[in-house]
PDB file of all heavy atoms in Angstrom:
ATOM      1  N   SER A  16      86.484 110.072  91.591  1.00 92.00           N
ATOM      2  CA  SER A  16      85.713 109.403  92.649  1.00 92.00           C
ATOM      3  C   SER A  16      84.264 109.869  92.635  1.00 92.00           C
ATOM      4  O   SER A  16      83.367 109.107  92.980  1.00 92.00           O
ATOM      5  CB  SER A  16      86.350 109.625  94.023  1.00 92.00           C
ATOM      6  OG  SER A  16      86.112 110.938  94.480  1.00 92.00           O
ATOM      7  N   ARG A  18      82.527 111.267  89.769  1.00 86.00           N
ATOM      8  CA  ARG A  18      81.809 111.019  88.514  1.00 86.00           C
ATOM      9  C   ARG A  18      82.213 109.729  87.826  1.00 86.00           C
ATOM     10  O   ARG A  18      81.565 109.309  86.874  1.00 86.00           O
ATOM     11  CB  ARG A  18      82.129 112.127  87.508  1.00 86.00           C
ATOM     12  CG  ARG A  18      82.002 113.512  88.034  1.00 86.00           C
ATOM     13  CD  ARG A  18      82.404 114.472  86.915  1.00 86.00           C
ATOM     14  NE  ARG A  18      82.529 115.816  87.438  1.00 86.00           N
ATOM     15  CZ  ARG A  18      82.957 116.846  86.721  1.00 86.00           C
ATOM     16  NH1 ARG A  18      83.318 116.652  85.451  1.00 86.00           N
ATOM     17  NH2 ARG A  18      83.043 118.045  87.250  1.00 86.00           N
ATOM     18  N   HIS A  21      85.401 107.434  83.363  1.00 89.00           N
ATOM     19  CA  HIS A  21      84.970 107.655  81.985  1.00 89.00           C
ATOM     20  C   HIS A  21      84.202 108.948  81.806  1.00 89.00           C
ATOM     21  O   HIS A  21      84.163 109.497  80.709  1.00 89.00           O
ATOM     22  CB  HIS A  21      84.119 106.487  81.509  1.00 89.00           C
ATOM     23  CG  HIS A  21      84.946 105.400  80.942  1.00 89.00           C
ATOM     24  ND1 HIS A  21      85.719 105.568  79.821  1.00 89.00           N
ATOM     25  CD2 HIS A  21      85.159 104.132  81.348  1.00 89.00           C
ATOM     26  CE1 HIS A  21      86.361 104.443  79.553  1.00 89.00           C
ATOM     27  NE2 HIS A  21      86.038 103.555  80.468  1.00 89.00           N
ATOM     28  N   ALA A  22      83.583 109.408  82.860  1.00 86.00           N
ATOM     29  CA  ALA A  22      82.780 110.617  82.732  1.00 86.00           C
ATOM     30  C   ALA A  22      83.601 111.868  83.032  1.00 86.00           C
ATOM     31  O   ALA A  22      83.067 112.974  83.059  1.00 86.00           O
ATOM     32  CB  ALA A  22      81.566 110.537  83.650  1.00 86.00           C
ATOM     33  N   HIS A 101      87.258 101.359  92.719  1.00 90.00           N
ATOM     34  CA  HIS A 101      86.194 101.441  91.721  1.00 90.00           C
ATOM     35  C   HIS A 101      86.697 101.457  90.295  1.00 90.00           C
ATOM     36  O   HIS A 101      86.071 100.900  89.406  1.00 90.00           O
ATOM     37  CB  HIS A 101      85.406 102.737  91.934  1.00 90.00           C
ATOM     38  CG  HIS A 101      84.043 102.515  92.432  1.00 90.00           C
ATOM     39  ND1 HIS A 101      82.979 103.272  92.043  1.00 90.00           N
ATOM     40  CD2 HIS A 101      83.550 101.584  93.267  1.00 90.00           C
ATOM     41  CE1 HIS A 101      81.899 102.847  92.642  1.00 90.00           C
ATOM     42  NE2 HIS A 101      82.212 101.819  93.388  1.00 90.00           N
ATOM     43  N   LYS A 104      89.572  98.958  87.146  1.00 89.00           N
ATOM     44  CA  LYS A 104      89.273  98.057  86.027  1.00 89.00           C
ATOM     45  C   LYS A 104      89.301  98.776  84.679  1.00 89.00           C
ATOM     46  O   LYS A 104      89.211  98.127  83.643  1.00 89.00           O
ATOM     47  CB  LYS A 104      87.939  97.349  86.246  1.00 89.00           C
ATOM     48  CG  LYS A 104      86.745  98.265  86.222  1.00 89.00           C
ATOM     49  CD  LYS A 104      85.434  97.481  86.345  1.00 89.00           C
ATOM     50  CE  LYS A 104      84.278  98.446  86.555  1.00 89.00           C
ATOM     51  NZ  LYS A 104      82.995  97.809  86.676  1.00 89.00           N
ATOM     52  N   PHE A 105      89.422 100.088  84.695  1.00 93.00           N
ATOM     53  CA  PHE A 105      89.527 100.819  83.436  1.00 93.00           C
ATOM     54  C   PHE A 105      90.982 101.009  82.991  1.00 93.00           C
ATOM     55  O   PHE A 105      91.248 101.645  81.976  1.00 93.00           O
ATOM     56  CB  PHE A 105      88.797 102.165  83.534  1.00 93.00           C
ATOM     57  CG  PHE A 105      87.329 101.990  83.806  1.00 93.00           C
ATOM     58  CD1 PHE A 105      86.729 102.553  84.924  1.00 93.00           C
ATOM     59  CD2 PHE A 105      86.542 101.217  82.959  1.00 93.00           C
ATOM     60  CE1 PHE A 105      85.378 102.360  85.187  1.00 93.00           C
ATOM     61  CE2 PHE A 105      85.190 101.025  83.215  1.00 93.00           C
ATOM     62  CZ  PHE A 105      84.607 101.592  84.326  1.00 93.00           C
ATOM     63  N   LYS A 139      90.603  80.379 115.507  1.00 94.00           N
ATOM     64  CA  LYS A 139      89.966  79.131 115.072  1.00 94.00           C
ATOM     65  C   LYS A 139      89.210  79.431 113.787  1.00 94.00           C
ATOM     66  O   LYS A 139      88.175  80.090 113.805  1.00 94.00           O
ATOM     67  CB  LYS A 139      88.974  78.649 116.138  1.00 94.00           C
ATOM     68  CG  LYS A 139      89.557  77.583 117.010  1.00 94.00           C
ATOM     69  CD  LYS A 139      88.538  76.793 117.808  1.00 94.00           C
ATOM     70  CE  LYS A 139      87.249  77.503 118.110  1.00 94.00           C
ATOM     71  NZ  LYS A 139      86.785  77.279 119.476  1.00 94.00           N
ATOM     72  N   ASP A 142      88.929  77.973 107.136  1.00 94.00           N
ATOM     73  CA  ASP A 142      89.442  78.254 105.807  1.00 94.00           C
ATOM     74  C   ASP A 142      90.087  79.644 105.813  1.00 94.00           C
ATOM     75  O   ASP A 142      89.421  80.657 105.607  1.00 94.00           O
ATOM     76  CB  ASP A 142      88.243  78.205 104.827  1.00 94.00           C
ATOM     77  CG  ASP A 142      88.657  78.340 103.387  1.00 94.00           C
ATOM     78  OD1 ASP A 142      89.713  78.936 103.113  1.00 94.00           O
ATOM     79  OD2 ASP A 142      87.904  77.858 102.520  1.00 94.00           O
ATOM     80  N   ILE A 145      89.269  82.120 102.887  1.00 95.00           N
ATOM     81  CA  ILE A 145      87.957  82.768 102.939  1.00 95.00           C
ATOM     82  C   ILE A 145      87.895  83.757 104.109  1.00 95.00           C
ATOM     83  O   ILE A 145      87.312  84.839 103.991  1.00 95.00           O
ATOM     84  CB  ILE A 145      86.834  81.708 103.060  1.00 95.00           C
ATOM     85  CG1 ILE A 145      86.679  80.959 101.734  1.00 95.00           C
ATOM     86  CG2 ILE A 145      85.505  82.342 103.455  1.00 95.00           C
ATOM     87  CD1 ILE A 145      86.152  81.793 100.584  1.00 95.00           C
ATOM     88  N   SER A 152      86.946  92.156 102.827  1.00 96.00           N
ATOM     89  CA  SER A 152      85.681  92.664 102.292  1.00 96.00           C
ATOM     90  C   SER A 152      85.039  93.642 103.266  1.00 96.00           C
ATOM     91  O   SER A 152      84.595  94.727 102.888  1.00 96.00           O
ATOM     92  CB  SER A 152      84.716  91.499 102.011  1.00 96.00           C
ATOM     93  OG  SER A 152      85.233  90.660 100.998  1.00 96.00           O
ATOM     94  N   ASN A 155      87.204  96.791 103.065  1.00 95.00           N
ATOM     95  CA  ASN A 155      87.174  97.550 101.815  1.00 95.00           C
ATOM     96  C   ASN A 155      85.909  98.372 101.669  1.00 95.00           C
ATOM     97  O   ASN A 155      85.939  99.530 101.282  1.00 95.00           O
ATOM     98  CB  ASN A 155      87.267  96.595 100.614  1.00 95.00           C
ATOM     99  CG  ASN A 155      88.678  96.105 100.372  1.00 95.00           C
ATOM    100  OD1 ASN A 155      89.640  96.663 100.905  1.00 95.00           O
ATOM    101  ND2 ASN A 155      88.814  95.052  99.588  1.00 95.00           N
ATOM    102  N   TRP A 156      84.787  97.730 101.971  1.00 94.00           N
ATOM    103  CA  TRP A 156      83.500  98.390 101.705  1.00 94.00           C
ATOM    104  C   TRP A 156      83.292  99.636 102.559  1.00 94.00           C
ATOM    105  O   TRP A 156      82.423 100.460 102.264  1.00 94.00           O
ATOM    106  CB  TRP A 156      82.356  97.395 101.909  1.00 94.00           C
ATOM    107  CG  TRP A 156      81.033  97.917 101.439  1.00 94.00           C
ATOM    108  CD1 TRP A 156      80.060  98.485 102.204  1.00 94.00           C
ATOM    109  CD2 TRP A 156      80.554  97.944 100.089  1.00 94.00           C
ATOM    110  NE1 TRP A 156      78.992  98.846 101.421  1.00 94.00           N
ATOM    111  CE2 TRP A 156      79.271  98.534 100.127  1.00 94.00           C
ATOM    112  CE3 TRP A 156      81.076  97.523  98.865  1.00 94.00           C
ATOM    113  CZ2 TRP A 156      78.503  98.711  98.964  1.00 94.00           C
ATOM    114  CZ3 TRP A 156      80.318  97.702  97.725  1.00 94.00           C
ATOM    115  CH2 TRP A 156      79.044  98.293  97.777  1.00 94.00           C
ATOM    116  N   TRP A 160      80.908 104.168 103.217  1.00 90.00           N
ATOM    117  CA  TRP A 160      80.148 104.838 104.281  1.00 90.00           C
ATOM    118  C   TRP A 160      81.035 105.533 105.303  1.00 90.00           C
ATOM    119  O   TRP A 160      80.523 106.340 106.090  1.00 90.00           O
ATOM    120  CB  TRP A 160      79.191 103.856 104.977  1.00 90.00           C
ATOM    121  CG  TRP A 160      79.815 102.596 105.503  1.00 90.00           C
ATOM    122  CD1 TRP A 160      79.911 101.394 104.849  1.00 90.00           C
ATOM    123  CD2 TRP A 160      80.411 102.389 106.789  1.00 90.00           C
ATOM    124  NE1 TRP A 160      80.538 100.461 105.646  1.00 90.00           N
ATOM    125  CE2 TRP A 160      80.845 101.042 106.833  1.00 90.00           C
ATOM    126  CE3 TRP A 160      80.623 103.209 107.899  1.00 90.00           C
ATOM    127  CZ2 TRP A 160      81.482 100.501 107.950  1.00 90.00           C
ATOM    128  CZ3 TRP A 160      81.259 102.664 109.011  1.00 90.00           C
ATOM    129  CH2 TRP A 160      81.670 101.327 109.020  1.00 90.00           C
ATOM    130  N   LEU A 167      81.391 108.982 114.186  1.00 78.00           N
ATOM    131  CA  LEU A 167      82.271 107.969 114.764  1.00 78.00           C
ATOM    132  C   LEU A 167      83.676 108.227 114.247  1.00 78.00           C
ATOM    133  O   LEU A 167      83.924 108.139 113.052  1.00 78.00           O
ATOM    134  CB  LEU A 167      81.795 106.582 114.311  1.00 78.00           C
ATOM    135  CG  LEU A 167      82.349 105.391 115.060  1.00 78.00           C
ATOM    136  CD1 LEU A 167      81.809 105.374 116.489  1.00 78.00           C
ATOM    137  CD2 LEU A 167      81.980 104.107 114.343  1.00 78.00           C
ATOM    138  N   ARG A 175      86.051  99.181 117.219  1.00 95.00           N
ATOM    139  CA  ARG A 175      84.893  98.298 117.040  1.00 95.00           C
ATOM    140  C   ARG A 175      85.147  97.269 115.958  1.00 95.00           C
ATOM    141  O   ARG A 175      84.788  96.106 116.096  1.00 95.00           O
ATOM    142  CB  ARG A 175      83.663  99.134 116.712  1.00 95.00           C
ATOM    143  CG  ARG A 175      83.219  99.769 118.004  1.00 95.00           C
ATOM    144  CD  ARG A 175      82.108 100.721 117.914  1.00 95.00           C
ATOM    145  NE  ARG A 175      82.105 101.394 119.212  1.00 95.00           N
ATOM    146  CZ  ARG A 175      81.370 102.426 119.530  1.00 95.00           C
ATOM    147  NH1 ARG A 175      80.550 102.924 118.643  1.00 95.00           N
ATOM    148  NH2 ARG A 175      81.435 102.957 120.727  1.00 95.00           N
ATOM    149  N   ARG A 182      86.890  88.524 116.890  1.00 96.00           N
ATOM    150  CA  ARG A 182      85.902  87.513 117.279  1.00 96.00           C
ATOM    151  C   ARG A 182      85.525  86.615 116.103  1.00 96.00           C
ATOM    152  O   ARG A 182      85.352  85.411 116.280  1.00 96.00           O
ATOM    153  CB  ARG A 182      84.652  88.195 117.849  1.00 96.00           C
ATOM    154  CG  ARG A 182      84.789  88.448 119.349  1.00 96.00           C
ATOM    155  CD  ARG A 182      83.425  88.506 120.003  1.00 96.00           C
ATOM    156  NE  ARG A 182      82.555  89.421 119.290  1.00 96.00           N
ATOM    157  CZ  ARG A 182      82.138  90.591 119.754  1.00 96.00           C
ATOM    158  NH1 ARG A 182      82.530  90.995 120.942  1.00 96.00           N
ATOM    159  NH2 ARG A 182      81.342  91.347 119.048  1.00 96.00           N
ATOM    160  N   ALA A 183      85.378  87.210 114.906  1.00 96.00           N
ATOM    161  CA  ALA A 183      85.043  86.397 113.725  1.00 96.00           C
ATOM    162  C   ALA A 183      86.079  85.299 113.527  1.00 96.00           C
ATOM    163  O   ALA A 183      85.756  84.191 113.108  1.00 96.00           O
ATOM    164  CB  ALA A 183      84.959  87.272 112.476  1.00 96.00           C
TER     165      ALA A 183
ATOM    166  N   SER B  16      77.999  96.609  83.833  1.00 92.00           N
ATOM    167  CA  SER B  16      78.860  96.018  84.871  1.00 92.00           C
ATOM    168  C   SER B  16      80.296  95.864  84.351  1.00 92.00           C
ATOM    169  O   SER B  16      81.241  95.949  85.127  1.00 92.00           O
ATOM    170  CB  SER B  16      78.314  94.675  85.348  1.00 92.00           C
ATOM    171  OG  SER B  16      78.523  93.661  84.383  1.00 92.00           O
ATOM    172  N   ARG B  18      81.778  97.809  81.674  1.00 86.00           N
ATOM    173  CA  ARG B  18      82.425  99.067  81.260  1.00 86.00           C
ATOM    174  C   ARG B  18      82.022 100.257  82.102  1.00 86.00           C
ATOM    175  O   ARG B  18      82.618 101.326  81.994  1.00 86.00           O
ATOM    176  CB  ARG B  18      82.009  99.435  79.831  1.00 86.00           C
ATOM    177  CG  ARG B  18      82.077  98.308  78.859  1.00 86.00           C
ATOM    178  CD  ARG B  18      81.602  98.822  77.507  1.00 86.00           C
ATOM    179  NE  ARG B  18      81.480  97.737  76.557  1.00 86.00           N
ATOM    180  CZ  ARG B  18      80.946  97.854  75.351  1.00 86.00           C
ATOM    181  NH1 ARG B  18      80.495  99.050  74.950  1.00 86.00           N
ATOM    182  NH2 ARG B  18      80.857  96.830  74.555  1.00 86.00           N
ATOM    183  N   HIS B  21      78.640 105.124  82.264  1.00 89.00           N
ATOM    184  CA  HIS B  21      78.966 106.254  81.399  1.00 89.00           C
ATOM    185  C   HIS B  21      79.667 105.847  80.119  1.00 89.00           C
ATOM    186  O   HIS B  21      79.611 106.560  79.120  1.00 89.00           O
ATOM    187  CB  HIS B  21      79.832 107.267  82.142  1.00 89.00           C
ATOM    188  CG  HIS B  21      79.003 108.242  82.894  1.00 89.00           C
ATOM    189  ND1 HIS B  21      78.159 109.119  82.271  1.00 89.00           N
ATOM    190  CD2 HIS B  21      78.872 108.471  84.212  1.00 89.00           C
ATOM    191  CE1 HIS B  21      77.540 109.852  83.175  1.00 89.00           C
ATOM    192  NE2 HIS B  21      77.956 109.472  84.364  1.00 89.00           N
ATOM    193  N   ALA B  22      80.348 104.721  80.169  1.00 86.00           N
ATOM    194  CA  ALA B  22      81.094 104.299  78.982  1.00 86.00           C
ATOM    195  C   ALA B  22      80.243 103.425  78.071  1.00 86.00           C
ATOM    196  O   ALA B  22      80.734 102.912  77.074  1.00 86.00           O
ATOM    197  CB  ALA B  22      82.365 103.560  79.399  1.00 86.00           C
ATOM    198  N   HIS B 101      77.657  99.652  92.103  1.00 90.00           N
ATOM    199  CA  HIS B 101      78.641 100.535  91.483  1.00 90.00           C
ATOM    200  C   HIS B 101      78.059 101.774  90.831  1.00 90.00           C
ATOM    201  O   HIS B 101      78.658 102.830  90.852  1.00 90.00           O
ATOM    202  CB  HIS B 101      79.374  99.762  90.388  1.00 90.00           C
ATOM    203  CG  HIS B 101      80.787  99.478  90.719  1.00 90.00           C
ATOM    204  ND1 HIS B 101      81.789  99.480  89.806  1.00 90.00           N
ATOM    205  CD2 HIS B 101      81.372  99.187  91.897  1.00 90.00           C
ATOM    206  CE1 HIS B 101      82.931  99.195  90.380  1.00 90.00           C
ATOM    207  NE2 HIS B 101      82.707  99.004  91.649  1.00 90.00           N
ATOM    208  N   LYS B 104      75.080 105.596  91.772  1.00 89.00           N
ATOM    209  CA  LYS B 104      75.348 107.023  92.035  1.00 89.00           C
ATOM    210  C   LYS B 104      75.197 107.877  90.782  1.00 89.00           C
ATOM    211  O   LYS B 104      75.254 109.100  90.853  1.00 89.00           O
ATOM    212  CB  LYS B 104      76.722 107.214  92.668  1.00 89.00           C
ATOM    213  CG  LYS B 104      77.875 106.871  91.764  1.00 89.00           C
ATOM    214  CD  LYS B 104      79.217 107.144  92.457  1.00 89.00           C
ATOM    215  CE  LYS B 104      80.336 106.532  91.611  1.00 89.00           C
ATOM    216  NZ  LYS B 104      81.664 106.754  92.126  1.00 89.00           N
ATOM    217  N   PHE B 105      75.022 107.234  89.629  1.00 93.00           N
ATOM    218  CA  PHE B 105      74.799 108.001  88.411  1.00 93.00           C
ATOM    219  C   PHE B 105      73.315 108.248  88.141  1.00 93.00           C
ATOM    220  O   PHE B 105      72.954 108.850  87.134  1.00 93.00           O
ATOM    221  CB  PHE B 105      75.479 107.325  87.218  1.00 93.00           C
ATOM    222  CG  PHE B 105      76.963 107.204  87.393  1.00 93.00           C
ATOM    223  CD1 PHE B 105      77.590 105.978  87.383  1.00 93.00           C
ATOM    224  CD2 PHE B 105      77.734 108.342  87.611  1.00 93.00           C
ATOM    225  CE1 PHE B 105      78.967 105.884  87.576  1.00 93.00           C
ATOM    226  CE2 PHE B 105      79.109 108.255  87.808  1.00 93.00           C
ATOM    227  CZ  PHE B 105      79.731 107.020  87.792  1.00 93.00           C
ATOM    228  N   LYS B 139      76.688  89.202 121.444  1.00 94.00           N
ATOM    229  CA  LYS B 139      77.352  90.202 122.291  1.00 94.00           C
ATOM    230  C   LYS B 139      77.994  91.226 121.383  1.00 94.00           C
ATOM    231  O   LYS B 139      78.996  90.936 120.733  1.00 94.00           O
ATOM    232  CB  LYS B 139      78.430  89.538 123.151  1.00 94.00           C
ATOM    233  CG  LYS B 139      77.961  89.197 124.522  1.00 94.00           C
ATOM    234  CD  LYS B 139      79.078  88.972 125.526  1.00 94.00           C
ATOM    235  CE  LYS B 139      80.371  88.458 124.978  1.00 94.00           C
ATOM    236  NZ  LYS B 139      80.885  87.286 125.746  1.00 94.00           N
ATOM    237  N   ASP B 142      77.899  97.774 119.597  1.00 94.00           N
ATOM    238  CA  ASP B 142      77.288  98.808 118.759  1.00 94.00           C
ATOM    239  C   ASP B 142      76.589  98.116 117.576  1.00 94.00           C
ATOM    240  O   ASP B 142      77.197  97.861 116.536  1.00 94.00           O
ATOM    241  CB  ASP B 142      78.416  99.728 118.263  1.00 94.00           C
ATOM    242  CG  ASP B 142      77.912 100.927 117.493  1.00 94.00           C
ATOM    243  OD1 ASP B 142      76.813 100.840 116.911  1.00 94.00           O
ATOM    244  OD2 ASP B 142      78.626 101.938 117.450  1.00 94.00           O
ATOM    245  N   ILE B 145      77.098  99.585 113.978  1.00 95.00           N
ATOM    246  CA  ILE B 145      78.388  99.290 113.336  1.00 95.00           C
ATOM    247  C   ILE B 145      78.484  97.803 113.006  1.00 95.00           C
ATOM    248  O   ILE B 145      79.010  97.414 111.950  1.00 95.00           O
ATOM    249  CB  ILE B 145      79.559  99.725 114.257  1.00 95.00           C
ATOM    250  CG1 ILE B 145      79.672 101.250 114.289  1.00 95.00           C
ATOM    251  CG2 ILE B 145      80.888  99.126 113.793  1.00 95.00           C
ATOM    252  CD1 ILE B 145      80.079 101.870 112.971  1.00 95.00           C
ATOM    253  N   SER B 152      79.006  95.046 104.927  1.00 96.00           N
ATOM    254  CA  SER B 152      80.212  95.341 104.149  1.00 96.00           C
ATOM    255  C   SER B 152      80.868  94.039 103.695  1.00 96.00           C
ATOM    256  O   SER B 152      81.232  93.887 102.527  1.00 96.00           O
ATOM    257  CB  SER B 152      81.202  96.161 104.987  1.00 96.00           C
ATOM    258  OG  SER B 152      80.661  97.425 105.288  1.00 96.00           O
ATOM    259  N   ASN B 155      78.570  92.645 100.963  1.00 95.00           N
ATOM    260  CA  ASN B 155      78.491  93.400  99.706  1.00 95.00           C
ATOM    261  C   ASN B 155      79.718  93.191  98.833  1.00 95.00           C
ATOM    262  O   ASN B 155      79.614  92.996  97.637  1.00 95.00           O
ATOM    263  CB  ASN B 155      78.361  94.907  99.995  1.00 95.00           C
ATOM    264  CG  ASN B 155      76.962  95.289 100.403  1.00 95.00           C
ATOM    265  OD1 ASN B 155      76.021  94.528 100.224  1.00 95.00           O
ATOM    266  ND2 ASN B 155      76.823  96.476 100.979  1.00 95.00           N
ATOM    267  N   TRP B 156      80.877  93.265  99.466  1.00 94.00           N
ATOM    268  CA  TRP B 156      82.102  93.255  98.677  1.00 94.00           C
ATOM    269  C   TRP B 156      82.319  91.926  97.940  1.00 94.00           C
ATOM    270  O   TRP B 156      83.132  91.842  97.018  1.00 94.00           O
ATOM    271  CB  TRP B 156      83.301  93.588  99.575  1.00 94.00           C
ATOM    272  CG  TRP B 156      84.557  93.807  98.813  1.00 94.00           C
ATOM    273  CD1 TRP B 156      85.565  92.902  98.606  1.00 94.00           C
ATOM    274  CD2 TRP B 156      84.964  95.000  98.119  1.00 94.00           C
ATOM    275  NE1 TRP B 156      86.567  93.461  97.854  1.00 94.00           N
ATOM    276  CE2 TRP B 156      86.224  94.740  97.534  1.00 94.00           C
ATOM    277  CE3 TRP B 156      84.379  96.253  97.948  1.00 94.00           C
ATOM    278  CZ2 TRP B 156      86.917  95.696  96.793  1.00 94.00           C
ATOM    279  CZ3 TRP B 156      85.066  97.205  97.202  1.00 94.00           C
ATOM    280  CH2 TRP B 156      86.316  96.922  96.639  1.00 94.00           C
ATOM    281  N   TRP B 160      84.555  89.323  94.113  1.00 90.00           N
ATOM    282  CA  TRP B 160      85.356  88.093  93.962  1.00 90.00           C
ATOM    283  C   TRP B 160      84.520  86.827  93.881  1.00 90.00           C
ATOM    284  O   TRP B 160      85.037  85.776  93.519  1.00 90.00           O
ATOM    285  CB  TRP B 160      86.401  87.984  95.090  1.00 90.00           C
ATOM    286  CG  TRP B 160      85.857  88.088  96.482  1.00 90.00           C
ATOM    287  CD1 TRP B 160      85.743  89.235  97.229  1.00 90.00           C
ATOM    288  CD2 TRP B 160      85.359  87.029  97.304  1.00 90.00           C
ATOM    289  NE1 TRP B 160      85.200  88.953  98.460  1.00 90.00           N
ATOM    290  CE2 TRP B 160      84.962  87.607  98.532  1.00 90.00           C
ATOM    291  CE3 TRP B 160      85.216  85.650  97.131  1.00 90.00           C
ATOM    292  CZ2 TRP B 160      84.426  86.862  99.580  1.00 90.00           C
ATOM    293  CZ3 TRP B 160      84.681  84.901  98.167  1.00 90.00           C
ATOM    294  CH2 TRP B 160      84.294  85.512  99.385  1.00 90.00           C
ATOM    295  N   LEU B 167      84.621  77.375  94.958  1.00 77.00           N
ATOM    296  CA  LEU B 167      83.815  77.292  96.176  1.00 77.00           C
ATOM    297  C   LEU B 167      82.364  77.570  95.797  1.00 77.00           C
ATOM    298  O   LEU B 167      82.046  78.659  95.336  1.00 77.00           O
ATOM    299  CB  LEU B 167      84.313  78.366  97.150  1.00 77.00           C
ATOM    300  CG  LEU B 167      83.873  78.227  98.603  1.00 77.00           C
ATOM    301  CD1 LEU B 167      84.553  77.021  99.240  1.00 77.00           C
ATOM    302  CD2 LEU B 167      84.232  79.478  99.379  1.00 77.00           C
ATOM    303  N   ARG B 175      80.580  79.079 105.341  1.00 95.00           N
ATOM    304  CA  ARG B 175      81.757  79.711 105.958  1.00 95.00           C
ATOM    305  C   ARG B 175      81.471  81.151 106.371  1.00 95.00           C
ATOM    306  O   ARG B 175      81.875  81.588 107.440  1.00 95.00           O
ATOM    307  CB  ARG B 175      82.933  79.651 104.984  1.00 95.00           C
ATOM    308  CG  ARG B 175      83.436  78.238 104.982  1.00 95.00           C
ATOM    309  CD  ARG B 175      84.480  77.900 104.022  1.00 95.00           C
ATOM    310  NE  ARG B 175      84.565  76.430 104.044  1.00 95.00           N
ATOM    311  CZ  ARG B 175      85.267  75.696 103.216  1.00 95.00           C
ATOM    312  NH1 ARG B 175      85.982  76.271 102.286  1.00 95.00           N
ATOM    313  NH2 ARG B 175      85.285  74.392 103.317  1.00 95.00           N
ATOM    314  N   ARG B 182      80.143  84.315 114.663  1.00 96.00           N
ATOM    315  CA  ARG B 182      81.206  84.477 115.658  1.00 96.00           C
ATOM    316  C   ARG B 182      81.540  85.946 115.884  1.00 96.00           C
ATOM    317  O   ARG B 182      81.773  86.374 117.013  1.00 96.00           O
ATOM    318  CB  ARG B 182      82.451  83.706 115.237  1.00 96.00           C
ATOM    319  CG  ARG B 182      82.408  82.253 115.703  1.00 96.00           C
ATOM    320  CD  ARG B 182      83.811  81.700 115.887  1.00 96.00           C
ATOM    321  NE  ARG B 182      84.624  81.940 114.728  1.00 96.00           N
ATOM    322  CZ  ARG B 182      85.010  80.991 113.859  1.00 96.00           C
ATOM    323  NH1 ARG B 182      84.662  79.744 114.051  1.00 96.00           N
ATOM    324  NH2 ARG B 182      85.753  81.294 112.835  1.00 96.00           N
ATOM    325  N   ALA B 183      81.570  86.727 114.791  1.00 96.00           N
ATOM    326  CA  ALA B 183      81.856  88.165 114.937  1.00 96.00           C
ATOM    327  C   ALA B 183      80.857  88.816 115.892  1.00 96.00           C
ATOM    328  O   ALA B 183      81.193  89.723 116.648  1.00 96.00           O
ATOM    329  CB  ALA B 183      81.819  88.857 113.580  1.00 96.00           C
TER     330      ALA B 183
END
Side-chain angles (χ1 to χ4, degrees):
Chain A
S16 75
R18 311 178 190 175
H21 273 297
H101 249 217
K104 66 176 170 180
F105 299 122
K139 261 197 334 222
D142 186 334
I145 288 293
S152 296
N155 282 345
W156 190 262
W160 53 267
L167 195 68
R175 284 175 193 172
R182 273 206 309 250
Chain B
S16 74
R18 313 179 187 172
H21 273 296
H101 249 216
K104 67 178 169 178
F105 300 121
K139 264 199 331 229
D142 186 334
I145 288 294
S152 295
N155 282 345
W156 189 262
W160 54 268
L167 196 69
R175 285 174 192 171
R182 273 207 309 252

